[in-house]
């Protein structure tokens, strides 16, 4: 049958046998519809751990799965496993507000995030999965002349690094969102910085797409396998102790976000970070209201409307160390107040759901992607609450570091020793106070 | 969260500002040997445990006292609240 040529693609697996994987396409959907949808297969195997691998990625979230995917695809490495305590995509990649953007200011950050944006733009074709990448545009509102100056500077920095940025005046914003509270006495809306290429991505599909793409290239995705410690001898990592036994590895890459301190304590390391909870909320479904992403400049509040029509909103972290994936009511009130002062019309909308994710808040608000002092042990973390947009680039540059032992050109600043050397990447200018970033 | 202030009784955590790990009480001696490394650790590295955590809270909208709160970071349960002044004295930090 001729159709075989597009629907089945043989992959050489680790044990030397050929397996056939399904390629998704519009034609495939039609063909399956005509044959009773009997041909769909699981998107990835439920692998059991082997005795040893070349690479073990700890953490089956967006960053860990992306790392495994790019290790196999771009850097042609084999014998790779992703070990995950729970199920893949159950942590922060399934708990964020799905926003992607590359509107950073500082040299160490902006090229990296722009690289990530470019990967987002080609992601669905790259891993053959519908991640619903929607470049619906993001605006950051400003309310004072000083804020306008700061956003002008930021926009210029973005353009100089190859990203897109536009400064909108009040009337341009009004045309997009006429119902905003423009004439608030204390915080009138004076305009916005816009990045049209920013937008949203279906977050769960990012995890699933990377998992499927990695699995097709022979990566073992091992779920329900908690890393309990590291086996280290003579300054070299030999593997990880897990709830399913010891698994040997030549190189171990840790990408576990909020659990970073816990996992790295297993290697005897203390990290420059604290774990905090960030809450997010979804309202009941409303008629089409917001076609892009909006951030309030006078309070910590951001909002977009999901394709299921709920308003997806978020605000600040709760502000105290926590590993509980739930927050407290004062932040709920604060976020609701921010929303009401920006767009009073949402006052009658009800929140349907709220949840929390654990953020690895670093001391300068920027991530760390670096080797450790232990040979073969690599670390990726400190994403604060900006990890989702970074997922593709984080995976790519971490895979680069794991495969080549040198940092990718867009991630040379994300080093452990930047704190000791005074080379902080402090976008917010807050100093070493994680709950203020 | 309700913090049971040793002088003022139960207070809403909203009245407080959070600083972090109570180990910050033990500021290194800047004149001692190796103080640079100690200050780097002091300023940037944290234990960040999942479980019991001793931490500094400042009662900004109250009596402006610093407290050492022992709180579980997994359950948010608070098991002890002391004046940071008393803790610091006991641990030999102030006179």
């Amino acid at each position: 049958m001729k159709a075989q040529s597009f629907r089945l693609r043989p992959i050489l697996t680790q044990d030397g046998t050929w397996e056939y994987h399904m390629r998704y396409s519009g034609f495939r959907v039609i063909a399956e519809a005509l044959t009773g949808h009997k041909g769909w297969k699981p998107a990835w195997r439920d692998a059991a751990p082997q005795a040893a691998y070349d690479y073990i990625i700890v953490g089956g979230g967006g960053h860990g799965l992306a790392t495994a995917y790019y290790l196999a695809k771009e850097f042609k490495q084999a014998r790779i496993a992703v070990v995950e305590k729970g199920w893949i995509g159950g942590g922060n990649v399934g708990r964020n507000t799905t926003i992607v953007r590359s509107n950073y200011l500082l040299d160490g950050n902006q090229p990296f995030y722009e690289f990530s944006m470019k990967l987002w733009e080609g992601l669905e074709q790259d891993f053959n999965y519908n991640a619903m990448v929607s470049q619906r545009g993001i605006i950051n509102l400003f309310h004072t002349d000083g804020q306008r100056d700061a956003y002008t500077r930021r926009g210029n920095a973005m353009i100089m690094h190859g990203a897109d940025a536009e400064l909108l005046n009040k009337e341009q914003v009004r045309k997009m969102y006429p119902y905003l509270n423009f004439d608030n006495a204390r915080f009138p809306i004076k305009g916005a910085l816009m990045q049209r290429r920013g937008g949203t991505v279906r977050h769960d599909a990012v995890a699933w797409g990377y998992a499927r793409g990695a699995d097709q290239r022979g990566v073992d995705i091992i779920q329900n396998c908690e890393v309990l410690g590291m086996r280290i001898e003579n300054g070299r990592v030999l593997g990880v102790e897990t709830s399913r036994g010891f698994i040997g590895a030549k190189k171990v890459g840790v990408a576990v976000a909020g659990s970073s301190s816990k996992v790295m304590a297993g290697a005897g390391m203390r990290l420059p970070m604290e774990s905090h909870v960030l809450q997010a909320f979804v309202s009941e479904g409303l008629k089409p209201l917001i076609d892009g992403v909006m951030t309030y400049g006078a309070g910590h509040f951001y909002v977009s409307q999901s394709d299921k029509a709920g308003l997806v909103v978020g605000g600040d972290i709760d502000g105290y160390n926590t590993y509980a994936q739930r927050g407290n009511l004062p932040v709920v009130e604060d976020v609701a107040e921010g929303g009401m002062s920006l767009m009073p019309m949402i006052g009658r909308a009800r929140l349907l759901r709220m949840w929390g994710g654990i953020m690895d808040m670093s001391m300068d608000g920027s991530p760390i992607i670096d080797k450790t002092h232990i040979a073969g042990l690599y670390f990726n973390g400190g994403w604060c609450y900006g990890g989702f947009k970074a997922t593709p680039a984080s995976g790519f540059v971490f895979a680069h570091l794991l495969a080549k032992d040198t940092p990718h050109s867009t991630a040379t600043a994300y080093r452990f020793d930047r704190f000791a050397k005074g080379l902080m990447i402090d976008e917010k200018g807050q100093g070493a106070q994680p709950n203020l970033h | 969260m309700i913090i049971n202030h040793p002088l003022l009784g139960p207070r809403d955590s909203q009245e407080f500002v959070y600083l972090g790990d109570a180990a910050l009480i033990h500021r290194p001696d800047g004149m001692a040997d190796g103080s640079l490394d100690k200050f780097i650790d002091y300023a940037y590295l944290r234990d960040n445990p999942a479980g019991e955590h001793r931490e500094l809270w400042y009662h900004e909208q109250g009596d402006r006292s610093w407290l050492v709160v022992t709180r579980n970071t997994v359950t948010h349960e608070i098991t002890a609240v002391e004046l940071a002044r008393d803790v610091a004295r006991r641990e030999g930090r102030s006179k």
Side-chain angles (χ1 to χ4, degrees):
Chain A
M1 199 172 108
K2 220 177 174 188
Q4 297 274 324
S5 61
F6 75 87
R7 57 182 278 212
L8 294 175
R9 195 158 46 117
I11 304 286
L12 188 60
T13 61
Q14 290 177 356
D15 42 349
T17 57
W18 292 92
E19 273 186 15
Y20 291 88
H21 290 277
M22 184 185 292
R23 188 164 174 81
Y24 295 153
S25 67
F27 193 90
R28 179 81 193 165
V29 172
I30 294 166
E32 286 296 332
L34 295 174
T35 54
H37 292 289
K38 289 175 188 152
W40 301 115
K41 297 208 177 85
W44 57 87
R45 293 165 295 133
D46 191 16
Q50 297 178 23
Y53 294 90
D54 286 355
Y55 298 92
I56 288 180
I57 311 299
V58 182
H63 292 220
L65 293 166
T67 304
Y69 172 79
Y70 289 117
L71 255 181
K73 179 171 182 283
E74 299 295 331
F75 299 98
K76 311 295 179 204
Q77 301 298 308
R79 289 172 34 89
I80 304 163
V82 175
V83 295
E84 162 59 41
K85 175 185 173 187
W87 61 90
I88 60 164
N92 292 348
V93 74
R95 290 168 179 270
N96 56 76
T97 49
T98 78
I99 298 165
V100 300
R101 56 186 173 87
S102 62
N103 53 2
Y104 283 71
L105 174 70
L106 300 180
D107 282 342
N109 274 335
Q110 180 57 19
F112 171 83
Y113 286 101
E114 178 53 22
F115 177 51
S116 201
M117 182 57 83
K118 290 201 170 77
L119 289 173
W120 283 121
E121 288 174 327
L123 184 65
E124 293 166 303
Q125 298 304 318
D126 188 60
F127 66 17
N128 179 233
Y129 201 91
N130 180 12
M132 296 165 67
V133 176
S134 168
Q135 294 182 287
R136 53 184 71 184
I138 179 166
I139 61 170
N140 306 122
L141 297 167
F142 55 77
H143 309 267
T144 65
D145 292 344
Q147 242 180 341
R148 178 194 284 121
D149 290 347
Y151 277 153
T152 306
R153 180 180 174 221
R154 178 177 296 261
N156 285 333
M158 289 161 64
I159 291 166
M160 287 167 72
H161 282 114
D164 64 307
E166 277 172 60
L167 205 67
L168 305 184
N169 64 28
K170 181 177 172 177
E171 290 316 310
Q172 288 170 298
V173 176
R174 198 193 291 274
K175 212 172 162 189
M176 295 169 68
Y177 302 114
Y179 45 75
L180 297 183
N181 192 2
F182 284 90
D183 301 315
N184 181 307
R186 178 69 182 84
F187 300 112
I189 293 168
K190 296 201 161 192
L193 177 67
M194 176 159 201
Q195 185 181 27
R196 290 192 192 274
R197 288 162 64 239
T200 60
V201 180
R202 168 92 165 91
H203 52 354
D204 299 316
V206 175
W208 300 334
Y210 275 125
R212 176 171 166 271
D215 177 82
Q216 286 184 351
R217 289 164 180 82
V219 173
D220 278 358
I221 296 168
I222 305 162
Q223 304 180 77
N224 299 308
C225 183
E226 180 177 5
V227 170
L228 305 169
M230 308 267 176
R231 191 176 290 180
I232 295 163
E233 274 177 26
N234 301 323
R236 168 166 282 282
V237 71
L238 301 177
V240 293
E241 307 283 356
T242 77
S243 54
R244 294 171 74 171
F246 173 76
I247 310 174
K250 291 180 184 157
K251 292 182 176 178
V252 175
V254 175
V256 294
S259 301
S260 292
S261 294
K262 266 160 73 178
V263 172
M264 296 307 278
M269 288 180 70
R270 292 171 82 219
L271 301 180
M273 59 187 68
E274 292 177 357
S275 295
H276 288 258
V277 65
L278 179 69
Q279 302 187 64
F281 313 88
V282 172
S283 78
E284 60 189 324
L286 304 172
K287 289 199 171 181
L289 183 66
I290 300 170
D291 60 359
V293 181
M294 199 185 327
T295 74
Y296 187 33
H300 205 143
F301 176 81
Y302 41 92
V303 59
S304 64
Q305 190 165 17
S306 80
D307 293 339
K308 288 193 288 185
L311 298 184
V312 183
V313 306
D316 219 340
I317 56 174
D318 273 38
Y320 44 80
N321 285 43
T322 175
Y323 284 85
Q325 284 174 317
R326 58 182 170 79
N328 274 306
L329 290 170
V331 167
V332 183
E333 186 178 16
D334 186 61
V335 170
E337 282 173 356
M340 283 299 290
S341 90
L342 174 63
M343 38 195 299
M345 67 188 293
I346 64 170
R348 299 290 289 276
R350 280 160 293 199
L351 291 179
L352 276 192
R353 295 187 289 126
M354 54 188 280
W355 65 93
I358 303 305
M359 309 292 123
D360 34 343
M361 301 298 296
S362 69
M363 284 288 164
D364 60 359
S366 294
I368 295 164
I369 306 172
D370 201 1
K371 301 177 201 180
T372 66
H373 67 281
I374 297 160
L377 181 61
Y378 301 76
F379 178 75
N380 176 340
W383 291 100
C384 302
Y385 40 74
F388 178 67
K389 74 178 87 67
T391 305
S394 166
F396 196 102
V397 306
F398 198 35
H400 186 286
L401 179 70
L402 282 159
K404 302 193 171 190
D405 266 320
T406 53
H408 186 267
S409 60
T410 63
T412 53
Y414 297 147
R415 297 166 56 101
F416 271 113
D417 65 3
R418 70 173 185 263
F419 301 99
K421 290 184 170 171
L423 300 171
M424 267 73 77
I425 314 167
D426 192 349
E427 282 277 337
K428 226 169 157 186
Q430 293 283 18
Q433 188 60 31
N435 63 348
L436 298 182
H437 284 288
Chain B
M1 287 187 294
I2 302 291
I3 294 173
N4 195 2
H5 193 295
L7 303 177
L8 305 173
R11 312 297 305 184
D12 193 317
S13 64
Q14 276 286 84
E15 297 174 4
F16 295 80
V17 173
Y18 181 82
L19 183 66
D21 197 319
L24 291 170
I25 289 173
H26 296 279
R27 187 186 169 90
D29 176 2
M31 305 308 284
D33 288 342
S35 62
L36 179 61
D37 288 339
K38 282 185 186 148
F39 263 105
I40 291 167
D41 283 7
Y42 174 82
Y44 297 116
L45 300 186
R46 298 287 182 269
D47 287 337
N48 192 23
E52 194 169 275
H53 190 223
R54 290 172 76 240
E55 54 203 21
L56 287 162
W57 292 73
Y58 175 57
H59 199 193
E60 187 179 44
Q61 291 172 52
D63 69 345
R64 301 202 154 200
S65 59
W66 281 95
L67 304 181
V68 173
V69 176
T70 306
R71 189 178 59 93
N72 188 309
T73 58
V74 177
T75 63
H76 295 167
E77 186 192 7
I78 293 171
T79 47
V81 184
E82 296 172 89
L83 288 171
R85 185 184 59 196
D86 295 346
V87 175
R89 272 199 189 125
R90 196 173 66 226
E91 296 178 1
R93 277 300 300 171
S94 72
K95 285 136 203 138

